[in-house]
Every structure is written in C-alpha cells, then in structure tokens.
Amino acid sequence: MATLKEIAEKANVSICTVSRYLSKNSNLKQATEEKVKKAIEELNYIPNNVARSLKTRRTNNIAVVLPKINNLYYSEITSGISEVLKKHHYNLFIVEFEHHRDEEGEILLTLLENMMAGVIFLGLSGDTSFHESVAMLQQHHLPFVYANRMIPDKEYSLIYPDYRQAGELATEHLVSQGKRHLAMITQSVSRLDLQQHIGGFIGKAQEYGIEVGEHQIFRQEEHVFDQEFIHGLRQKKIDGIFATNEMTALSLLKGLLNQGVKVPEEIAVIGFGNSLLGTLATPELTTIDLQNAKLGSLSAEKLLRQIDGVEGDTITILKPHIIVRKSS
Amino acid sequence: MATLKEIAEKANVSICTVSRYLSKNSNLKQATEEKVKKAIEELNYIPNNVARSLKTRRTNNIAVVLPKINNLYYSEITSGISEVLKKHHYNLFIVEFEHHRDEEGEILLTLLENMMAGVIFLGLSGDTSFHESVAMLQQHHLPFVYANRMIPDKEYSLIYPDYRQAGELATEHLVSQGKRHLAMITQSVSRLDLQQHIGGFIGKAQEYGIEVGEHQIFRQEEHVFDQEFIHGLRQKKIDGIFATNEMTALSLLKGLLNQGVKVPEEIAVIGFGNSLLGTLATPELTTIDLQNAKLGSLSAEKLLRQIDGVEGDTITILKPHIIVRKSS
DNA sequence: TTGTATGCGTTATCAC
DNA sequence: GTGATAACGCATACAA
C-alpha cells in the first residue's frame, strides 16, 4: 500500500502538499497538482481511513444493533438504513444482540472501542436493563437513535410508528367490514409499543360500543393455531382478528384455512408489516403497513443530523397506513 | 476518553507497562499490576481500536458484500456469518451491492481504505465484470471468500452447495412420487449455479428415461402464475415442478391453488431454501434445504482460517438435503 | 520486571 | 503556494 510519504517522494513535494491535493479545497499550482496526480496514479494510492480516523478522531462507521438480521422486519429496516448511509458515504456495521444480559456491556464497549460515529438500536425493548448501559454512550458523546421502540422516562432520540393509531386503524377497518366480535393476537403485553397497539385497538372498539375483554387478547407464545384454538374462536363468536406480527397473521390464516373457516366471511384477519409474504398468503393478507424501509431511512437521516449537530434528541412518529387485500 | 498516557501518569508507570498489562501475556509485578488496574478502572479506560489498528496494520472488521440484506436468503447466510464472527471477536460490516457497474470500484476501494481483515461475497454472479475488479483485492492481499457462487477459471476461495446434486435430489423425489412429466422454474440460465441445477435435474431425469425439453424450463421473470400459465402446465401434462427459489415456489403454489389444481395429487411442487415461509404455505412446501445459516458460518470460518494463514484458496462444497412436506 | 524511543499514515498548526 | 513538524493512541524493539 502506497502512502502519502511515497507519493510525496515520487512527486518531489512534501507530504503536506499531497494531503492538500487529496482534500481538494486548498489551491495548488497547476504544475504541482499534476505532478501529484501522476504519482498517485502510478503508485496506485489508496487512502488509509484508519490513520485518518485516528487523526481526525472520527470514523464514517455507523452501527445498527438489532436482535436478528435474518428477520424480514429488521432486515427491511436495515435496508432502508443502508441506502441512506451509502448515499452519505457512511459504512454500515451490524451487531446482532439477543438479550443475553451479559452481552450488553461488551457490545456497547465494542461500539466505543471502534469509534462508531453513531448507533441505531432496532427493536430493543423498553423493559430490559439495556437502557442503563446505554447511558454510558451519552457520557462518551456517541450519538444514537432508538428505532421502533418507545423508551419511558428517557429523553433519547426516538423514531417509531404511531402504535396506537395502528391499533385504531385495525379496529376501524374490521368494524367497517361489519365485524363486531374482535380479538387480538400479540406478543409480550409488557412492551410499551404493544400496550399502545392494544390500547388503540380496544379504545377505538369502545367508541363503537364494542367490548374487547381480556380473554380476547391472546398472547402469541401461548397458542398454536390448531383445531382447539380455532374452536375457541368460534365459540366466542370472534369474527375479526388483529395480529401484531406478520408471521403470526400468516400462521393464523393457515390455521383457519385448515379448519375450514372462511376468511374473511366468517373471520377476518388483519396483520402487520408489508413484506412480500402478505401477497403470497391465501387469502392475501390485509395489513397495517409500518413502512419498515422508510422507518430505516428516516432513522438513518435522523442519526446523521445528530452527528452533524443540527438536531438534538427528538421524537419522530410515523403514520401507519392500511393495505386492504383479501383477508378482511 | 482516557488514553494509555493518562493511565500511565495516574499509576506512576510507563505507557509501555500499561500496554503490557492490557495485552495480558507479559508478566508484571503484582504491585504494579494492581496500580494499573486501579487507574484503568478509575479513569474508565476504553481501548482505542483505531489506533491499535493503525499500529498493528490490521482490523477485526470483516465485510459481507451482498445484493440486498432484506432478502431472507442473504440475511440467513449473514446471520450464520454473524454468529461465527462474534465468537471470534470480529465485527461485521455490510455492503449492499446491486450490480451497478459504476459501484464496483468504489465498493472495493472502501473495503481497502477501511482495512478490512477479509471479505465474503454473497450471490455475486459469475457473469459480471466484477471478478476483474476483484483481482485488485488479491494484489492488496485482502483475503476473501465467494459464497454460493461458482466462479469459472479462477482459483479463489469458494464455498457453495452442490448445485447439481440439488437438482438431482429434486428429480429423484418427484419420480419417487410417481411423477413423470417434470418442469422447472428458474432464474437466469446463464448463471453457472443455475446451469448446474438444470443439469442435475435434467440429467437425473434422463437416467429414469424422462425427457425434460427446453419448453419445460421456465424462466421465472417471464411468467406470472396466472390462469394462462397453469393452463399451459395442464396441457403439457406437467405433474411435477421444481422451483429454484423459495418465493417463486410459494407464488406458484398460490397460483395452482387459485386455479383449483390439487397439490400434490395433480401437480407436485418442490422448492428451495428452508425458511419459515415453507411451513406457512398451503400446502406446506417440500424443499431442498441449502442450509443457508450453515453455509454462512462455514464461509466465515473459512475466511478466518485464510486470515490466519492456515488455509489457501480451496473449494468447499455442501451437501443439500431434501425436506419432504406436503406439496409433493 | 520496567522504561525509552520510534513509527503506523494521516491531518493540522505553524512558519516561510 | 509550499514545507517542517507535531500530534492522534497504541504496540514494540531495544535498553536498562
């Protein structure tokens, strides 16, 4: 690898002049400029970003910390992030983080050790101890953005979809289809975002005079969508279901189909997310689009503004949209 | 950020001693060790990997270059890579590359500028001009592994599944189910791996005395699985189809279902890949498992061996397995 | 067992 | 316009 020094020697100028040439702004004499240019080409010079970073005390590296990259939800967001970063000449680091308590410190340490310019956290729940460790990042002035999570009692830089409105949209749609006996399938009810989903779903139902009791809120982990489960739905006369996870919705759809339930006539299903999967389901899945890719690109832009010091810790909220297909 | 210098001053030792303490191997006097330890803790020292990299002329960063991260196929492989890298304390750097010719040089340059320890290329076709640029990496002694692609006329470090055998397995299975009129849906036939698929599929068919003509090899991009297409299948009396892409298989399954074709009785379908999607399809998809995650972890290990200098450019071939479900 | 001194490749502050 | 020279934070050859 050729270095500035070698270029300088070859071109008979000082290292400094070469550096100036590379940073474009300073004006060199036409003649020296060409000498330098020639030397650089002949020696096949490649700048060393590591050295540059040491000197300037900043890198162009941005880390995305998420539970699992082999999950459409996260990889779609990441793709949105990637596009923006590429455009601004930032590099993308991925750190998978699976809520193993002992990893927390190690991961944050890695981010600091490698002088990340910023961090985006995806899908890190508000109920972990993670956030205490995160305070460390603030101490070290490492800018970060939380995407897709609401963090209570913290003034962090946040971006997430309007979870409550997502729930409301689901109710409104099901009601507009004539459904009155609503149910919901969700994950951990302790998560703040899911509480919002539930709140929106139930709240809007009440506006329509519909009661959604606790026994109509199913926890995904506790059920398989087998004959017994479907039978339970029928007994409760459920005619509309909102599943807060695309895979879950698809799985439910399959269960209903297997048991001969007509979707949407007998039971309508509305899901979450807008990957290709929804269109491949039978029937095609009606869904609340959380705009994953867009959320990714927005969170990247948000982080970059923070890095450039033109934005502080603010909250950005995206509006969800409904995509009506055949399952409702 | 505290530095070695500050620690040294606080502990009343030399920078060198602190550095030794951190690298563990050298043996210090108990007393100094504790002095240093204390100072490090009090000052909340965090090592600077950038400086370390500049000095040692190597980083712990490994890049994965792939077309799109929001694609289950690639993200599953990447997840496999991620696990291995994490275990060996390497960081994961992601570069999305979408075959825009003008990007090639820029991307490889970025890898060199940032002193990547190694690179894994995923799904980069053998027919692009990419490989010429890649020679540059060799000049700069940057180790790399091509995963999931066969590269003709190059002695690179390669790892891929036995594409031919995958095709053979598909044929064997379909034949064992009593199917004799086989068809295949594939992508670009110019890609070497797909040629292998086709070769295996057709070749094995011939062993059974079955002719698979050119008009039974469909190019995915040229078709939607609508009434007309399904009608065509019926006319040709096709009773078994092999789709070399999981999404395509699912999409086909849906098309067949829509047209009232009984799967697998009338037409059996066998797909590729082993994501959750296959089990959510109706009927559940029989599939050739290419072991994406495993391929990822193996390619990472392969690269690490290369970085450590214990392995040269070799070819690793994975054996595919069939997962029989309901669509065949 | 510990310290001194040098350099990794770059940017930046001075001079000239 | 251009050139010395000093850092950035760390590792290491060589001394002591």
Side-chain angles (χ1 to χ4, degrees), chain A residues 274-285:
Chain A
N274 182 26
S275 72
L276 273 178
L277 307 184
T279 63
L280 289 177
T282 311
E284 297 183 16
L285 185 66

Side-chain angles (χ1 to χ4, degrees), chain A residues 213-230:
Chain A
E214 235 178 71
H215 53 292
Q216 278 142 268
I217 309 283
F218 300 101
R219 284 204 43 181
Q220 165 190 316
E221 299 85 353
E222 295 168 359
H223 301 281
V224 286
F225 306 129
D226 55 6
Q227 187 172 7
E228 189 187 335
F229 182 81
I230 308 291

Side-chain angles (χ1 to χ4, degrees), chain B residues 5-276:
Chain B
K5 195 176 167 195
E6 296 174 51
I7 308 286
E9 281 164 6
K10 180 137 194 152
N12 258 319
V13 294
S14 74
I15 294 181
C16 180
T17 303
V18 183
S19 177
R20 282 203 186 90
Y21 171 83
L22 289 170
S23 55
K24 298 299 177 193
N25 52 357
S26 350
N27 32 357
L28 306 182
K29 208 165 63 186
Q30 183 86 21
T32 46
E33 192 158 293
E34 272 165 21
K35 271 194 303 183
V36 174
K37 185 179 176 194
K38 187 154 160 280
I40 285 181
E41 277 166 6
E42 283 178 6
L43 290 182
N44 233 303
Y45 173 72
I46 294 177
N48 184 327
N49 251 332
V50 173
R52 177 179 293 156
S53 289
L54 177 59
K55 180 65 193 170
T56 60
R57 311 179 54 61
R58 59 183 305 279
T59 69
N60 291 311
N61 302 332
I62 287 191
V64 173
V65 180
L66 40 66
K68 251 327 191 175
I69 190 66
N70 63 343
N71 174 313
L72 264 179
Y73 178 59
Y74 296 120
S75 62
E76 281 179 348
I77 299 174
T78 305
S79 226
I81 294 173
S82 168
E83 252 168 55
V84 171
L85 293 191
K86 183 184 278 189
K87 199 187 312 172
H88 290 83
H89 297 99
Y90 277 85
N91 304 316
L92 172 60
F93 186 94
I94 298 280
V95 184
E96 286 192 343
F97 170 75
E98 299 180 73
H99 289 285
H100 296 147
R101 183 76 65 89
D102 47 2
E103 277 187 10
E104 287 179 22
E106 208 179 324
I107 285 180
L108 297 182
L109 209 59
T110 301
L111 300 179
L112 290 169
E113 284 180 355
N114 291 284
M115 291 191 17
M116 290 295 135
V119 187
I120 298 175
F121 293 105
L122 294 189
L124 261 32
S125 305
D127 49 9
T128 68
S129 66
F130 196 81
H131 308 297
E132 294 168 23
S133 316
V134 162
M136 181 165 105
L137 297 188
Q138 288 188 310
Q139 285 170 27
H140 291 274
H141 305 103
L142 176 47
F144 60 90
V145 169
Y146 267 95
N148 275 11
R149 282 295 180 269
M150 304 169 73
I151 312 292
D153 310 324
K154 298 278 185 186
E155 298 209 349
Y156 289 159
S157 184
L158 307 178
I159 177 166
Y160 48 79
D162 190 328
Y163 289 118
R164 187 172 179 91
Q165 199 191 0
E168 292 176 351
L169 282 177
T171 301
E172 275 175 356
H173 176 69
L174 291 174
V175 168
S176 79
Q177 300 301 102
K179 308 300 183 183
R180 310 283 297 174
H181 300 278
L182 309 184
M184 189 166 172
I185 300 175
T186 185
Q187 295 150 279
S188 153
V189 289
S190 67
R191 254 170 49 193
L192 219 55
D193 52 332
L194 294 169
Q195 282 174 16
Q196 290 287 311
H197 281 319
I198 296 171
F201 189 73
I202 295 181
K204 184 56 84 174
Q206 279 174 337
E207 286 181 25
Y208 287 108
I210 297 173
E211 197 64 40
V212 181
E214 236 179 69
H215 54 291
Q216 278 141 268
I217 309 284
F218 300 100
R219 284 204 44 183
Q220 165 190 316
E221 300 85 352
E222 296 168 358
H223 301 281
V224 286
F225 306 129
D226 55 6
Q227 187 171 8
E228 188 186 336
F229 181 82
I230 308 292
H231 184 71
L233 292 180
R234 277 178 156 148
Q235 277 202 320
K236 289 178 186 160
K237 298 195 194 307
I238 299 298
D239 58 7
I241 305 183
F242 174 36
T244 61
N245 178 294
E246 191 168 30
M247 284 297 204
T248 306
L250 295 180
S251 176
L252 171 66
L253 231 37
K254 185 169 190 313
L256 292 170
L257 202 71
N258 283 349
Q259 300 303 319
V261 176
K262 280 190 189 152
V263 179
E265 294 79 0
E266 290 181 61
I267 299 184
V269 174
I270 181 165
F272 241 11
N274 182 24
S275 71
L276 274 179

